[in-house]
Amino acid sequence: MKTRIHVNQHIIRSNKKTGNREPVLTVKTYKSNDYCHEALISGPSKVIYSPDKPLPCGAKVWIETESEIICITNKKEKI
């Protein structure tokens, strides 16, 4: 199953402004969206830059893989 990982810039900006540490990585498959701080890819993958044809969410750079992904979420409180 194809999986895409991308970085949500809006959450990065929000975290900076509020001091929160919400997960900024989105791991997307055809059936789910998972949010994490780290994504471990256990096999081949590729990084894609497509400014003229972004993903529906607006991402222009993402990682694409068919390999298993382990999503790690470190829930940290506001600083």
Side-chain angles (χ1 to χ4, degrees), residues 14-27:
S14 175
N15 284 346
K16 183 176 180 181
K17 184 177 181 180
T18 64
N20 290 336
R21 294 295 175 258
E22 296 300 319
V24 299
L25 299 178
T26 305
V27 179

Side-chain angles (χ1 to χ4, degrees), residues 10-54:
H10 299 290
I11 297 176
I12 290 174
R13 288 185 194 109
S14 175
N15 284 346
K16 183 176 180 181
K17 184 177 181 180
T18 64
N20 290 336
R21 294 295 175 258
E22 296 300 319
V24 299
L25 299 178
T26 305
V27 179
K28 296 183 174 216
T29 65
Y30 73 93
K31 60 181 179 179
S32 69
N33 287 341
D34 295 314
Y35 303 94
C36 50
H37 290 93
E38 297 179 39
L40 303 175
I41 305 168
S42 61
S45 60
K46 63 181 176 178
V47 179
I48 300 169
Y49 172 54
S50 180
D52 299 325
K53 201 172 177 188

Side-chain angles (χ1 to χ4, degrees), residues 5-7 12 14 16 19 24 35 39 46 54 58 60 63-65 67 73 75-76 78-79:
I5 304 168
H6 68 90
V7 179
I12 290 174
S14 175
K16 183 176 180 181
V24 299
Y35 303 94
K46 63 181 176 178
K60 295 178 182 178
I63 299 168
E64 201 166 271
T65 185
S67 303
T73 303
K75 195 69 173 167
K76 294 187 180 178
K78 190 175 180 178
I79 296 174

